[in-house]
Amino acid sequence: MRIAAAALFAMILSAGAPAAGGTSHSYTIEIDKMKFGPTPAVLHRGDTILWLNRDLFRHSATAANRSFDVDLPAGQSARMVVKSTGALAFSCKYHPGMRGVLRVRP
Amino acid sequence: MKAAMGLLGGAALALASTAQAAGPTDPEIAHIAYTAGNIDIAAAKQALAKSHNATVRAFAKEMVRDHQAVNDKALALVKELKVTPKDNATSEALSKQAAATLKRFAKLNAHDFDHAYLKNEVAYHGTVNSALKTTLIPSANNAQLKSLLETGLTLFTEHQKHAEHLAAAMK
């Protein structure tokens, strides 16, 4: 039982990848076929997002309020720490029809 | 603009006549799609040579990058499928009309060119998207080719919207 609990704790750690403070988590948002994949239901300030561009095309993840602007060449990825809170609408600046929203709590 | 519409009317007729005949084969579809991409790359390269407008130049760079990516993927796909793209009347009509447009736009000054280029991009993407929806995608037999054409349609619809937005904002 103790081993099972330890294994479960390790799984949670690897899935959530907590930062130094122990409260931040990492999430991946994939981009393919001209679409952003699902975004996490809830994020917190300090969490990390890995933007993974699996598409043929260069994209960006650009906040409507310009709080972030991540360039994503085809087949590449980039990490971003979430610094703002609220409902952060974003789009690809090259293909503005590609859109999503990050919901970030303090 | 009238000239652009005339050009695209001809292209639309060429694409429609292909549809009326039994429908293009996969080798013909691959050739038409590749040709259509190359035409837009050539138009964008002309824009990069003539325009001084930063917005127009950024759009043209995007067109080169995106259409080249689709065409590279298309080339890799036909190689994998051992399909040889087949020249056809539609591809020839598109190329002939595009050459005439390049020649006509070459005579414009930078300001008039910017307007003409963006309007033509709106109309050209509209024509190609219509052909993809009504003829090329429905006629494609190979699933991978069909999927690439569908991704192309999503991409080119974005290009059309982007060009419409820029054309409307252009003074």
Side-chain angles (χ1 to χ4, degrees):
Chain A
M1 183 63 187
R2 183 182 287 175
I3 292 171
L8 180 62
F9 183 63
M11 282 174 64
I12 291 168
L13 278 181
S14 64
T23 56
S24 299
H25 293 76
S26 293
Y27 301 92
T28 298
I29 298 176
E30 290 192 12
I31 303 160
D32 198 10
K33 295 184 186 297
M34 297 291 295
K35 286 179 185 168
F36 286 103
T39 55
V42 178
L43 288 159
H44 292 87
R45 184 160 52 195
D47 285 348
T48 298
I49 292 175
L50 176 69
W51 300 94
L52 182 57
N53 183 5
R54 294 189 184 280
D55 213 348
L56 297 173
F57 316 109
R58 182 179 180 179
H59 293 300
S60 79
T62 305
N65 66 4
R66 297 285 159 180
S67 60
F68 59 86
D69 183 12
V70 182
D71 190 39
L72 296 161
Q76 295 190 27
S77 61
R79 285 183 196 280
M80 176 193 95
V81 175
V82 180
K83 293 177 179 169
S84 300
T85 58
L88 305 176
F90 64 90
S91 63
C92 168
K93 63 186 172 189
Y94 306 114
H95 312 105
M98 294 173 59
R99 293 177 186 177
V101 178
L102 299 179
R103 299 186 188 284
V104 187
R105 292 180 181 168
Chain B
M1 183 60 187
K2 192 183 279 182
M5 291 310 290
L7 157 73
L8 293 160
L13 278 177
L15 288 162
S17 66
T18 304
Q20 283 164 6
T25 62
D26 282 2
E28 288 173 335
I29 291 169
H31 200 285
I32 292 167
Y34 190 83
T35 301
N38 267 352
I39 286 170
D40 208 53
I41 290 169
K45 286 182 175 173
Q46 185 183 46
L48 291 170
K50 282 188 72 78
S51 179
H52 305 298
N53 182 299
T55 305
V56 171
R57 293 180 64 81
F59 178 79
K61 283 180 186 172
E62 181 187 323
M63 292 305 102
V64 172
R65 190 171 63 235
D66 283 355
H67 284 279
Q68 193 64 59
V70 175
N71 275 6
D72 288 349
K73 180 72 177 177
L75 277 184
L77 180 60
V78 295
K79 191 175 176 184
E80 180 190 331
L81 298 175
K82 296 185 170 57
V83 168
T84 304
K86 188 179 175 191
D87 200 0
N88 56 84
T90 303
S91 293
E92 286 174 17
L94 287 170
S95 297
K96 189 176 173 185
Q97 291 153 0
T101 302
L102 284 176
K103 194 174 174 183
R104 195 163 49 250
F105 284 9
K107 295 173 186 165
L108 301 176
N109 64 40
H111 177 267
D112 291 347
F113 175 86
D114 289 343
H115 285 262
Y117 170 64
L118 289 177
K119 283 180 181 172
N120 193 55
E121 283 297 288
V122 173
Y124 182 72
H125 280 92
T127 299
V128 171
N129 291 340
S130 175
L132 281 165
K133 276 184 215 166
T134 61
T135 306
L136 303 180
I137 292 172
S139 300
N141 281 316
N142 180 274
Q144 286 173 277
L145 177 61
K146 196 183 276 279
S147 174
L148 181 59
L149 293 171
E150 285 167 346
T151 299
L153 175 58
T154 307
L155 176 72
F156 306 152
T157 301
E158 278 295 312
H159 290 172
Q160 185 179 346
K161 285 185 204 163
H162 196 169
E164 283 169 355
H165 175 74
L166 295 181
M170 181 73 75
K171 293 176 183 172

